[in-house]
Every structure is written in C-alpha cells, then in structure tokens.
Amino acid sequence: MKLVTYQSDRGPRVAGVRNGGCVDLNKTDVRVPTCVKELFAQGPEGLAIAADALAIGDPMPTEEIKLVPAVPNPEKIICVGKNYAEHAAESGGDVPSEPILFNKFPTALRGDWQPIVLPGLSNEVDYEAELVVVIGIGGRNIPREKALEHVAAYCCGNDVSARDWQIGKPGGQWLLGKTFDSFAPIGPALTTADEIPDPGKLRIQLRLNGQIMQDSSTTKLIFPVDELIAYASAVCTLSPGDLIFTGTPPGVGFARKPPVFLKPGDTVEVEIEKLGTLRNPVVGEKP
Ligand code: ZN
C-alpha cells in the first residue's frame, strides 16, 4: 500500500494511492485515523483496515489536492552518517565501528516536487540519496531480531547537506548544516513494510538533472535497518512516525573533482527500487 498525506481545510489527512488518485481513508472508513502517525501506532491491524478502505474508496485526482510531506510532523528525524563504506572513504574517514547518529528538525521536511531552497548562508549545498525508515509501533530497547516488526513503511529521502556548515563549524557539529529548511525531502509516498520484506536488497540511485550521480544498493549498508533500530532505541524511545535516514552511498557532490553543488534550476531525483522516485527542484532563497 502506498500512503501520502494531503492538506485539507481541516488539516493534514492520510490518503492511499490507487489508480493514480488519492483515497481519503478516514472518509471511507472512520476507523482509519486521519493522522498517519496514529495509523502507524495501530500496527498491522490498523493497516489492514486502511487497505480495505483504500480498495473501496473514491480516488480524488492528485491535481486537485495539495500533498505535504508523507509524514508531516514526526516526533524525531534520526540520521545515520557514513553508513556505506565507499562513502565513508570518499568523505575521508574510516568505516565507523558503531553507527554515527545525528538529526534533522521536522521544519526541514518537504514532499515530492516541493523545492529545495538554497540558503543564502551557504555556497556548498549537496545531495545524499537515502533509504528512509518510518517507525510503526514504537518502543525502547527494541531487540534486533524484532526490529523490523517496528517498521511501518519505507520511502526515499534526500539528506540535503550544506557542507560549509557541516564541516566548517566549531565542535564537529553536523546538525546545522543538515537542517536548513527544505533539507529533508521525503517521498514520493510511503510504501508499507509488508511490500518490502528485505530492506537490505534495494537498488538506490540519485540523478541530478537526469545524470546518474549515485548508484548503489542497500546491500552495502554497514549497519542494516534492524541494527540501526536496535541501536537508536537503546538510547531513546522510538515513536510512531519517527523517520530514520539510513545513510548515503558514494557519489556525493563535495567528494567529486571538481566538486558539484546544487544550483537554482537543478532537479534532483532519488529512486529506490519498489519505493518510486522522489523529485525536487532546486531554487535560490528569495532576498
Ligand atoms: Zn546522510
């Protein structure tokens, strides 16, 4: 099942994708929550009711609704650094012995086709194609062997990064360079986990203006999805709708010779097998 969230007069509402249109699931069956986080908190039982609603509901043409990020208001956005060996190498670092975690704020989220806005404060904005995990039933100290049971869905993500802020600020801090507004596009829709039995076997590609810049597979994740969930949940409670950006493969712009950074007029596409293609235009910040 593919799920999106759209903006209605009464706030954001979850919808399922069918025949190229969007079915408002709560309007079809009131047992389905309007909020995707509440839906995911219900686990597989809630998703089964949602799937039944999707099968019978009336699709609205997508042109007539305004889509917002598929999880518009997650409690947490957790990101993983250097989680592909060849990317760790091109970034000038060793393969990490434990996951490197950092975060973005929800104000950075954008949906499919929403622009990445280049901040006037940076001259080095880069792209990073990433598999994004969406937590379903939450928990603390989730054991690795049960971790995938806590995944509700997957989608494509772009961990947009201002390298001059990520690398150039004191204290080794990554947060600021990673969390400018619009630096966390996700989409195009959420694909529920029942359709992705193994998230460690997905081809992942990034194209900049149609040119392939990253082309790899999640088979190469140093720390796979189940281990990341176990590791993060040892520290903090994971909640329904939390997002985990799992790291980027090699081919990022700053490691190229000469470096490639995003500029106004660019289009960035992240495509992951079975999850679709996330497309975002790049624009300059209005003065
Ligand atoms: Zn990243």
Side-chain angles (χ1 to χ4, degrees):
M1 180 166 51
K2 303 268 189 202
L3 297 171
V4 294
T5 291
Y6 77 100
Q7 187 66 37
S8 78
D9 299 341
R10 291 169 288 168
R13 295 173 67 87
V14 68
V17 179
R18 202 184 89 224
N19 295 340
C22 293
V23 175
D24 186 309
L25 301 173
N26 171 267
K27 277 186 192 162
T28 311
D29 185 334
V30 293
R31 292 177 296 170
V32 183
T34 57
C35 167
V36 69
K37 289 194 295 188
E38 290 173 30
L39 171 59
F40 286 169
Q42 294 179 348
E45 294 78 16
L47 288 171
I49 295 171
D52 289 345
L54 176 59
I56 60 170
D58 289 326
M60 306 171 280
T62 40
E63 322 69 89
E64 291 178 14
I65 58 176
K66 178 181 165 24
L67 294 176
V68 296
V71 184
N73 51 356
E75 182 183 279
K76 291 188 282 304
I77 304 174
I78 298 170
C79 307
V80 185
K82 298 183 179 174
N83 201 17
Y84 291 76
E86 291 164 81
H87 174 62
E90 74 178 355
S91 306
D94 296 330
V95 171
S97 56
E98 289 183 42
I100 299 169
L101 300 190
F102 62 97
N103 69 303
K104 293 175 181 275
F105 295 127
T107 40
L109 284 174
R110 293 295 183 271
D112 194 26
W113 286 112
Q114 292 185 318
I116 296 165
V117 181
L118 301 175
L121 291 171
S122 173
N123 295 311
E124 297 184 0
V125 178
D126 203 348
Y127 53 80
E128 293 190 353
E130 306 205 1
L131 171 68
V132 176
V133 175
V134 188
I135 297 295
I137 293 170
R140 178 89 196 276
N141 291 318
I142 297 169
R144 187 172 172 184
E145 59 274 16
K146 297 225 180 256
L148 293 186
E149 296 171 22
H150 290 263
V151 178
Y154 299 92
C155 63
C156 306
N158 190 344
D159 174 16
V160 182
S161 306
R163 302 299 184 194
D164 39 3
W165 281 68
Q166 180 193 352
I167 298 165
K169 294 295 172 187
Q173 54 179 317
W174 284 15
L175 168 68
L176 297 177
K178 297 283 194 171
T179 203
F180 280 96
D181 283 7
S182 80
F183 274 23
I186 57 167
L190 308 178
T191 300
T192 49
D194 57 308
E195 296 183 15
I196 312 292
D198 186 354
K201 278 190 185 162
L202 302 173
R203 187 170 179 191
I204 177 168
Q205 195 177 72
L206 184 139
R207 296 182 293 273
L208 178 60
N209 305 321
Q211 185 183 347
I212 297 170
M213 307 298 275
Q214 296 181 284
D215 193 359
S216 186
S217 166
T218 59
T219 52
K220 297 191 174 174
L221 284 169
I222 298 169
F223 304 105
V225 171
D226 56 353
E227 189 172 356
L228 294 173
I229 290 171
Y231 189 85
S233 75
V235 174
C236 59
T237 301
L238 297 181
S239 301
D242 282 357
L243 305 177
I244 303 177
F245 280 65
T246 57
T248 200
V252 297
F254 88 97
R256 290 171 175 269
K257 293 183 180 61
V260 174
F261 294 114
L262 299 179
K263 57 187 189 309
D266 284 348
T267 301
V268 192
E269 296 174 288
V270 177
E271 181 170 6
I272 300 178
E273 190 180 348
K274 297 181 180 160
L275 306 184
T277 303
L278 166 68
R279 293 182 177 88
N280 298 97
V282 178
V283 302
E285 192 167 52
K286 292 199 178 65

